[in-house]
Amino acid sequence: MNLKPLKSSFIFFFVFDVTSSGLFEKGSTSSGIIMKASFDESAKMPRWVNVLAVGPDCEGIVAGDVVLLPNLRWTEHFKHDGEKYWRSEEKEIVAKQTMEGKNMDAVGEFVIFMKRATPKPEGTSLIIMSGLGETPHGIAVKVGPKVADMTVGVKMYYDGTNFSNDFEMQGLKFSFIKESEVILVVDNV
């Protein structure tokens, strides 16, 4: 491969197939019918990508890594030798797969967490402190090396407005957020 990205950028292709119009495939039925995602669905989803080539200033990734990018944190595709590729910046990476895709590590200041259902208040005996009873929350399962004030296992509250950072790995549902966007944490969950 003779592609040479500049500075801290990298070239990649998506783990899951992309149609000619740029939409991601949702999967297929048992009879083999391929289901395509709408543009709205495709645009709102973070994506796992295969790193093909890295710029000279990339420090945490190498060609062959599989990393998670937030939605729309990549360029339009370009073609080289008849194949489609995309470009992004290393600073956009949220997570990196490890152990041949069986695990992942958070990158930078990102926190990977599992959402928890917010209980609905019943009756009048429940007191909701500062409105947190209805605020979305989850449990941190991975924290990036630049995360200063959180550890794995803490309960964290976040603003769920326009939240679209959900992804799957090994059949489990996860979300990610930058540490600076967390409202507060509660130790000893």
Side-chain angles (χ1 to χ4, degrees), residues 125-167:
S125 61
L126 179 64
I127 298 173
I128 299 174
M129 299 290 291
S130 302
L132 289 177
E134 295 183 28
T135 303
H137 62 281
I139 305 298
V141 295
K142 300 281 183 178
V143 296
K146 293 183 180 178
V147 173
D149 297 320
M150 294 180 65
T151 58
V152 170
V154 297
K155 183 176 186 178
M156 48 170 275
Y157 289 90
Y158 61 95
D159 180 3
T161 309
N162 299 321
F163 195 81
S164 60
N165 296 340
D166 301 329
F167 68 98

Side-chain angles (χ1 to χ4, degrees), residues 44-46 71 110-115 136-138 156-167 174-178 181-182:
K44 293 178 183 175
M45 299 294 294
N71 53 315
F110 285 100
V111 176
I112 297 173
F113 66 98
M114 296 182 90
K115 291 181 178 179
H137 62 281
M156 48 170 275
Y157 289 90
Y158 61 95
D159 180 3
T161 309
N162 299 321
F163 195 81
S164 60
N165 296 340
D166 301 329
F167 68 98
F174 298 95
S175 296
F176 65 86
I177 194 168
K178 284 188 174 182
E181 297 170 353
V182 173

Side-chain angles (χ1 to χ4, degrees), residues 63-89:
D65 283 346
V66 178
V67 298
L68 182 69
L69 288 175
N71 53 315
L72 301 178
R73 298 295 189 186
W74 50 79
T75 62
E76 291 280 330
H77 77 270
F78 64 92
K79 283 192 174 184
H80 178 72
D81 289 339
E83 298 292 328
K84 287 183 184 179
Y85 301 105
W86 290 259
R87 185 187 69 79
S88 190
E89 294 289 324

Side-chain angles (χ1 to χ4, degrees), residues 10 23 45 94 126 136:
F10 65 98
L23 301 179
M45 299 294 294
V94 171
L126 179 64

